[in-house]
């Protein structure tokens, strides 16, 4: 499997996407700091929630990767070459999905931690939030970030369903944008849809189901 | 010779339309099997079923003596293929594509890449991404990719598409060489008759999803030997004279003035003499060669109106 992942990475270079991810993290960190000059944040909790929302951007990054690694392979017909290798289609697709999920997980965790830390350091100087960051808060937020990152990486597979229907990269990306928008409805207030934990959890389960369904169907499906 | 690929009652239905119907083909080890048919006849679909890209609706495929199932991945490792048009990861260079191919096939003899490129005459291409290649170059690269791992069975869909005449000859020679020297079996599809005629050992003619005929090239050649065409003033009288005086039986009256004699051993001057002496005027007399094209067209048009 590792070898398959390595081969995939040879076909499609991740460099650009990684650079994009880093830039996105920096921009969000900058915004979270800059927003204080308009309307200062009141608590670390607020910073935590905003950080979580911002990190859903990686659902879109993931959809771009899904298009590149899976959808376009169908569209450009290179999948006919790929599926004629003496390897199971399931394994080939699993390798592709693993890359997307791994990328999304690493970046959505990294972005949460980096953005929040950035804000924390900024706050040490600017004294915007007048509150001590206690150990129990740290543990709470840490756990929240981790579970958030896991859910984001599962949710990121949902667009695959829409993309695979007609092998359309745009459908994949548009559905990812819609997903992100839905999760961030109510952003800026205390209540986003994301804060009702059932919603992202249900979407994450859906993502896993989409992946399983895609893998189950791929063996018997005609490649035209 | 034992058969390397056999299909029985192979059928594929797409959305209620039968595109391949009850095809029974039989490819013998080491031969070049020419798959001949007009566009849309079902050649590619059959090839896709053989390579497991498309699953049959009915019937069976047996390759290397094993029944092909959706999980027969190991069989795919023994084939080399081009289906439809050769596709590549076209932002990568030719060599990178071939290296990837070897990795996926589990073939680690790096020298074979150079050998294959040399065989198809693709040199000085190392720094160009495949997307800048012409169709002919892609075709050559596709063939290189297919033969790199020295497969036992090569499945090539329209491999000479996009090649110039010199290229076509090179590739034809290459196929013959692969078949003769390496004992590789080739299934080559084409709608260019002349090509098939010069290269194939067996021809499978397919139209409207049906395998109309599967015939060794030798038999086609026998069946379609030369004939002498006579254009005379009165073909009926001529026919009578030929059978009466020269004991010819193997001829056909085409129309009022035309007559074909298939027994080419009869000397032309004999015939001319008999006819002239008996007052049949001869407008022309010449030897003709009926090619695979005539045979092919007659098969395809058999029972149908030709446009």
């Amino acid at each position: 499997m590792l070898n398959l992942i390595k081969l995939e990475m040879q076909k499609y270079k991740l460099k650009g996407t990684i650079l994009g991810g880093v830039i996105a993290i920096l921009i969000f960190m900058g915004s979270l700091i800059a927003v204080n000059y308009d309307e200062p944040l009141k608590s670390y909790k607020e910073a935590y929630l905003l950080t979580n929302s911002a990190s859903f951007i990686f659902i879109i990054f993931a959809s771009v990767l899904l298009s590149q690694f899976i959808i376009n392979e169908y569209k450009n017909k290179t999948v006919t070459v790929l599926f004629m290798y003496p390897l199971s289609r399931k394994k080939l697709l699993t390798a592709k999905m693993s890359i997307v999920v791994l990328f999304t997980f690493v970046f959505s965790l990294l972005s949460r931690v980096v953005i929040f830390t950035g804000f924390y350091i900024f706050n040490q100087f600017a004294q915007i939030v007048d509150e001590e960051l206690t150990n129990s808060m740290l543990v709470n937020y840490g756990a929240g970030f981790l579970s958030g990152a896991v859910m984001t990486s599962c949710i990121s597979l949902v667009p695959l369903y829409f993309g695979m229907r007609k092998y359309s990269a745009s459908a994949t990306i548009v559905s990812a944008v819609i997903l992100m928008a839905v999760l961030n409805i109510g952003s800026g207030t205390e209540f986003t849809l994301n804060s009702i934990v059932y919603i992202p959890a249900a979407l994450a389960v859906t993502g896993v189901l989409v992946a399983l369904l895609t893998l189950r169907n791929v063996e018997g499906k005609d490649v035209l | 010779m034992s058969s390397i690929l056999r299909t029985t009652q192979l059928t594929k239905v797409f959305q209620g339309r039968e595109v391949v119907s009850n095809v029974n083909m039989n490819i013998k080890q080491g031969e070049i099997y020419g798959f001949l048919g007009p566009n849309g006849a079902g050649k590619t679909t059959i090839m896709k079923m053989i390579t497991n890209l498309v699953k049959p609706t009915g019937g069976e495929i047996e390759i290397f003596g094993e029944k092909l199932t959706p999980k027969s991945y190991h069989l795919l490792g023994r084939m080399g293929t081009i289906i439809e048009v050769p596709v590549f990861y076209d932002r990568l260079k030719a060599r990178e594509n071939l290296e990837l191919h070897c990795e996926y096939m589990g073939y680690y003899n790096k020298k074979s890449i150079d050998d294959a490129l040399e065989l198809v005459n693709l040199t000085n291409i190392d720094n160009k991404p495949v997307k800048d290649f012409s169709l002919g170059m892609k075709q050559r690269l596709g063939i290189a990719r297919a033969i790199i791992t020295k497969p036992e069975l090569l499945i090539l869909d329209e491999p000479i598409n996009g090649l110039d005449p010199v290229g076509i000859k090179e590739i034809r020679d290459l196929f013959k060489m692969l078949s003769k020297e390496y004992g590789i079996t080739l299934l080559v599809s084409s709608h260019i008759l002349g090509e098939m005629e010069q290269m194939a050992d067996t021809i499978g003619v397919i139209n409207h999803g049906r395998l109309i005929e599967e015939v060794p090239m030798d038999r086609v050649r026998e069946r379609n030997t030369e004939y002498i065409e006579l254009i005379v003033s009165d073909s009926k009288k001529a026919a009578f004279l030929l059978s009466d005086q020269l004991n010819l039986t193997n001829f056909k009256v085409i129309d009022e003035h035309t007559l074909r004699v298939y027994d080419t051993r009869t000397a032309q001057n004999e015939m001319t003499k008999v006819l002239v002496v008996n007052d049949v005027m001869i407008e022309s007399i010449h030897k003709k060669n009926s090619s695979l094209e005539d045979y092919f067209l007659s098969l395809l048009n058999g029972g149908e109106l030709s446009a």
Side-chain angles (χ1 to χ4, degrees), chain B residues 266-280:
Chain B
T266 322
Q268 288 189 25
N269 57 352
E270 289 275 314
M271 286 195 261
T272 335
K273 210 193 303 175
V274 170
L275 294 177
V276 170
V277 164
N278 290 287
D279 266 351
V280 177

Side-chain angles (χ1 to χ4, degrees), chain B residues 60-91:
Chain B
E60 246 178 45
I61 301 171
E62 201 186 289
I63 305 179
F64 310 123
E66 257 183 76
K67 196 183 156 218
L68 190 75
T69 69
K71 294 212 186 293
S72 311
Y73 302 111
H74 58 289
L75 294 180
L76 295 174
R78 298 162 71 182
M79 299 185 218
T81 47
I82 301 179
I83 298 288
E84 283 182 318
V85 287
V87 285
F88 301 94
Y89 296 101
D90 54 9
R91 283 195 215 160

Side-chain angles (χ1 to χ4, degrees), chain A residues 73 85 89 219 222-223, chain B residues 12 52-53 55 73 89:
Chain A
E73 188 118 28
Y85 290 131
R89 293 185 186 179
E219 294 292 350
D222 291 342
V223 182
Chain B
K12 179 69 195 179
N52 233 345
L53 288 176
K55 315 293 178 205
Y73 302 111
Y89 296 101

Side-chain angles (χ1 to χ4, degrees), chain B residues 230 232-248 251 259 261 266-282 285:
Chain B
L230 291 152
V232 293
S233 55
D234 182 350
S235 59
K236 275 200 188 121
K237 190 171 173 196
F240 171 74
L241 289 167
L242 290 179
S243 68
D244 190 53
Q245 310 220 351
L246 294 173
N247 290 326
L248 289 176
F251 62 81
L259 191 82
V261 180
T266 322
Q268 288 189 25
N269 57 352
E270 289 275 314
M271 286 195 261
T272 335
K273 210 193 303 175
V274 170
L275 294 177
V276 170
V277 164
N278 290 287
D279 266 351
V280 177
M281 289 218 301
I282 302 174
I285 173 165

Side-chain angles (χ1 to χ4, degrees), chain A residues 18-210:
Chain A
I18 289 176
L19 191 69
V22 171
I23 291 172
I25 292 177
L26 292 179
I27 287 176
F28 279 120
M29 191 164 80
S31 322
L32 192 67
I33 290 168
V35 77
N36 292 293
Y37 292 101
D38 182 27
E39 197 181 324
L41 298 183
K42 291 176 208 72
S43 64
Y44 278 120
K45 175 94 198 256
E46 220 172 335
Y48 164 77
L49 287 174
L50 282 172
T51 307
N52 251 340
S53 298
S55 298
F56 285 128
I57 186 72
F58 288 102
I59 295 178
I60 295 179
F61 275 84
S63 72
V64 173
L65 290 181
L66 285 175
S67 311
Q68 211 176 79
F69 280 92
I70 301 179
I71 309 291
N72 280 347
E73 188 118 28
Y74 275 92
K75 233 172 91 185
N76 301 337
K77 301 231 167 187
T78 44
V79 78
T80 58
V81 175
L82 195 62
F83 284 172
M84 281 190 291
Y85 290 131
L87 297 162
S88 98
R89 293 185 186 179
K90 263 186 196 154
K91 267 194 196 154
L92 291 165
L93 266 196
T94 310
K96 287 171 179 290
M97 287 184 195
S98 312
I99 293 173
V100 177
V101 170
L102 219 67
F103 175 91
T104 318
F105 176 75
V106 168
F107 267 84
S108 48
L109 187 64
L110 204 68
S111 82
R112 285 169 164 93
V113 171
V114 169
I115 294 174
F116 192 81
T117 311
F119 176 75
Y120 176 77
I121 293 170
F122 164 76
N123 195 44
Q124 295 310 95
F125 297 104
Q127 302 291 331
I128 306 263
V129 173
D130 191 18
E131 164 180 44
E132 188 79 18
L133 190 62
T134 62
N135 275 344
S136 71
M137 279 160 86
L138 268 181
V139 170
N140 263 340
Y141 294 166
F145 283 158
L146 193 65
S147 64
V150 170
M151 281 202 262
T152 311
S153 38
C154 293
I155 293 172
S156 72
L157 289 170
V158 174
L160 186 60
Y161 174 78
F162 300 99
M164 284 297 270
R165 288 165 58 117
K166 287 207 168 114
Y167 304 131
S168 147
S170 26
T172 319
I173 295 169
V174 167
S175 57
V177 172
I178 293 172
L179 262 180
M180 190 187 87
V182 166
L183 283 166
N184 281 336
I185 284 174
S187 189
T189 67
E190 284 270 308
F191 299 103
T192 66
L193 280 187
N194 179 46
S195 55
I196 309 166
V197 73
Y198 295 113
I199 290 177
L203 282 172
V205 172
T206 313
V208 173
L209 285 178
V210 166

